[in-house]
Amino acid sequence: MTEVTEAPCAAGTPLLGSMADLLGDPLAAYLRARRDHGDVVRFRAGPPGLRREIYGVFSAEGIQQVLATEAANFRKDNAIYEELRQALGNGLLTSQDEDYRRQRRLIQPLFTRRRVESYATAVTSEAAALAARWQETPGGADGAVELVEEMRGYALRVVGRVLFGSDVEQTIEVVRDSLPMLNERARARALSPVKLPRDWPTPANRRAARAQAGLYALCDAIISKRMDGREREEREQAPGPVPEEGAAEDLLTLLIRAHNAEDGSLTRAELREQVLVFFLAGHDTTATALTFALHLLARHPAEQRRVHEELDRALPGGRTPTAADLEALPRLTMVLKEAMRLFPPSPAVSRLAVAETVIGGRRIPAGAAVLVSQWVAHRHPAYWEDPERFDPERFTPQAEAGRPRYAYFPFGGGPRACIGQHFSTLHSVLSLATLLRAYEVEDATDGGDIPLGAGITLLAKGPVRVRVRSRT
């Protein structure tokens, strides 16, 4: 019988424990904890009397317990999800129990492969517009493009178009200005040992309230316009035929129509909550994947040549890629996967243990905060040889079959796996294909590491710059 022991504790300061490390550079803190203490580690964070313990779980087997095999014991009852609920509502990302199951049943049919592939034209047309803009204004004085903001703005336009269709233009500025601030505020409040009430009129609370009010008003206005128009149509004429699954309708229209006998339909408030979650989860993560895929190709010209050769074969004459081309782009897909291994858009996932359990021979007490980290698992030396090296060959079918399931989990896993992972892959591969069929990218940084931070998503703290050169 395996002996059960207490998890070792990461080093910290007497006054604040590991709080400074977790706030300042959590990615390094997680890696250091695994290296020094193993695959289950305790972090003590905060001053005496307000100190919290967080259990980091870093092995593929332990991550599988938390996200999949014992998922019912690890809930989204912790501080970060409560802060996100307060900011964005109780959508698919934050809801639990019957609320979650009802939402998932209503929304899952909108994310079938055929339905997702109907958005390919929205992706490629926006990517082509970006490529054309790069041709006209290829960057600053040295012809360089700053990828972080470029990809964030581009991904936001794509997600906004998929969500709102022709109403996309009025959403971009409000979402771009408000959502990142609410995201960062949720993270900071979740880690803080002392939280001021949200209704106190502090400058931070007032900024957050204005940002939330702006987002809510925007979404509510678009939803009301759509629903009121739909209700008028239903009064004036018999409903028409249900569109085929492959028809390219925006997601808000489909959410409004979503209905079944067991769950009814989504209310206006629920529609807003789903829209905000899709914006949060759908644009920033994909922007991160695109940024670092292009960055890595710029630093590895031999790999970029392989991708260009594949694109030239798959897209003769530089034609626009379609969803049907994904299978003909295995090298590009491997590059994307390797980029998401080295720079996972979601670097960590947190849960709360309901009952005491054992992971890797270590006791996890009831009520413990538990963290699993893509950043660490994707670099774990038990699964990845020379883990910091960029090597798309890690994602050949044979190599993938030889690794534990949760050595690589950029989209989470288990019953709460990301519902939009096929859309994210389609979006990323078609975007890269459209840009790279037209351009070569060359590193325009100083060659050093990109400074990174970890909010709810991975954050580049400095510019990620490439020069773009036309291939024609």
Side-chain angles (χ1 to χ4, degrees), residues 354-421:
V354 177
E356 181 176 314
T357 191
V358 175
I359 297 179
R362 305 296 192 181
R363 185 179 73 89
I364 307 293
V370 177
L371 174 144
V372 300
S373 173
Q374 292 95 328
W375 182 262
V376 178
H378 291 185
R379 287 168 165 74
H380 200 303
Y383 318 123
W384 309 96
E385 182 180 353
D386 192 8
E388 294 293 341
R389 176 170 52 89
F390 174 65
D391 182 8
E393 292 290 326
R394 301 180 199 273
F395 291 95
T396 63
Q398 298 83 356
E400 288 189 288
R403 278 192 297 271
R405 163 64 182 85
Y406 285 86
Y408 180 75
F409 63 112
F411 297 106
R416 300 297 299 252
C418 175
I419 196 172
Q421 60 183 291

Side-chain angles (χ1 to χ4, degrees), residues 61-120:
E61 297 77 14
I63 293 165
Q64 185 164 2
Q65 277 184 254
V66 173
L67 296 184
T69 56
E70 296 182 23
N73 191 45
F74 295 96
R75 293 170 52 81
K76 292 187 171 184
D77 285 332
N78 57 12
I80 186 62
Y81 287 108
E82 178 55 30
E83 292 298 331
L84 285 173
R85 285 185 198 101
Q86 293 294 328
L88 303 178
N90 199 37
L92 202 60
L93 177 68
T94 54
S95 60
Q96 297 193 108
D97 303 325
E98 185 51 34
D99 282 345
Y100 173 77
R101 289 189 287 271
R102 173 177 172 269
Q103 291 175 21
R104 186 93 184 196
R105 287 192 297 265
L106 283 167
I107 296 169
Q108 184 73 59
L110 311 187
F111 284 87
T112 62
R113 182 172 295 273
R114 190 177 176 201
R115 178 68 73 186
V116 166
E117 289 176 353
S118 73
Y119 299 126

Side-chain angles (χ1 to χ4, degrees), residues 35-191:
R35 182 197 65 201
D36 294 345
H37 301 290
D39 287 331
V40 181
V41 184
R42 273 183 300 159
F43 298 94
R44 290 186 177 134
L50 294 172
R51 186 160 291 175
R52 294 183 299 140
E53 288 194 339
I54 302 167
Y55 285 72
V57 176
F58 303 128
S59 69
E61 297 77 14
I63 293 165
Q64 185 164 2
Q65 277 184 254
V66 173
L67 296 184
T69 56
E70 296 182 23
N73 191 45
F74 295 96
R75 293 170 52 81
K76 292 187 171 184
D77 285 332
N78 57 12
I80 186 62
Y81 287 108
E82 178 55 30
E83 292 298 331
L84 285 173
R85 285 185 198 101
Q86 293 294 328
L88 303 178
N90 199 37
L92 202 60
L93 177 68
T94 54
S95 60
Q96 297 193 108
D97 303 325
E98 185 51 34
D99 282 345
Y100 173 77
R101 289 189 287 271
R102 173 177 172 269
Q103 291 175 21
R104 186 93 184 196
R105 287 192 297 265
L106 283 167
I107 296 169
Q108 184 73 59
L110 311 187
F111 284 87
T112 62
R113 182 172 295 273
R114 190 177 176 201
R115 178 68 73 186
V116 166
E117 289 176 353
S118 73
Y119 299 126
T121 300
V123 173
T124 54
S125 62
E126 290 292 343
L130 177 62
R133 184 162 62 80
W134 282 358
Q135 187 72 39
E136 296 169 4
T137 55
D142 62 353
V145 168
E146 203 290 293
L147 289 175
V148 175
E149 290 306 316
E150 284 285 297
M151 292 300 104
R152 187 174 289 148
Y154 161 70
L156 183 58
R157 286 194 62 83
V158 171
V159 172
R161 184 167 165 182
V162 166
L163 275 169
F164 290 142
S166 60
D167 289 317
V168 62
E169 295 300 335
Q170 69 188 94
T171 71
I172 297 300
E173 184 175 350
V174 174
V175 174
R176 184 188 60 224
D177 292 344
S178 299
L179 201 56
M181 191 269 282
L182 292 175
N183 180 341
E184 173 55 27
R185 179 164 168 76
R187 184 194 75 88
R189 281 183 59 88
L191 288 173

Side-chain angles (χ1 to χ4, degrees), residues 221-251:
I222 295 174
I223 290 166
S224 292
K225 173 184 163 187
R226 295 288 189 85
M227 293 189 76
D228 292 347
R230 179 170 170 77
E231 288 168 2
R232 281 196 303 272
E233 289 176 5
E234 290 174 346
R235 286 195 303 268
E236 293 170 1
Q237 63 183 36
V242 177
E244 295 182 7
E245 188 180 292
E249 293 185 284
D250 65 65
L251 189 55

Side-chain angles (χ1 to χ4, degrees), residues 285-298 300 303 331-347 374-375 378-379 384 387-395 408 410-411 428-429 432 452 458:
T285 52
T286 301
T288 299
L290 293 172
T291 293
F292 287 106
L294 290 169
H295 165 70
L296 288 164
L297 287 173
H300 296 85
E303 187 58 49
R331 192 76 196 183
L332 183 57
T333 303
M334 288 161 58
V335 166
L336 174 67
K337 288 181 176 181
E338 176 70 343
M340 294 176 74
R341 181 188 72 83
L342 286 167
F343 299 96
S346 174
Q374 292 95 328
W375 182 262
H378 291 185
R379 287 168 165 74
W384 309 96
E388 294 293 341
R389 176 170 52 89
F390 174 65
D391 182 8
E393 292 290 326
R394 301 180 199 273
F395 291 95
Y408 180 75
F411 297 106
S428 298
V429 173
L432 291 170
L452 300 171
L458 189 70

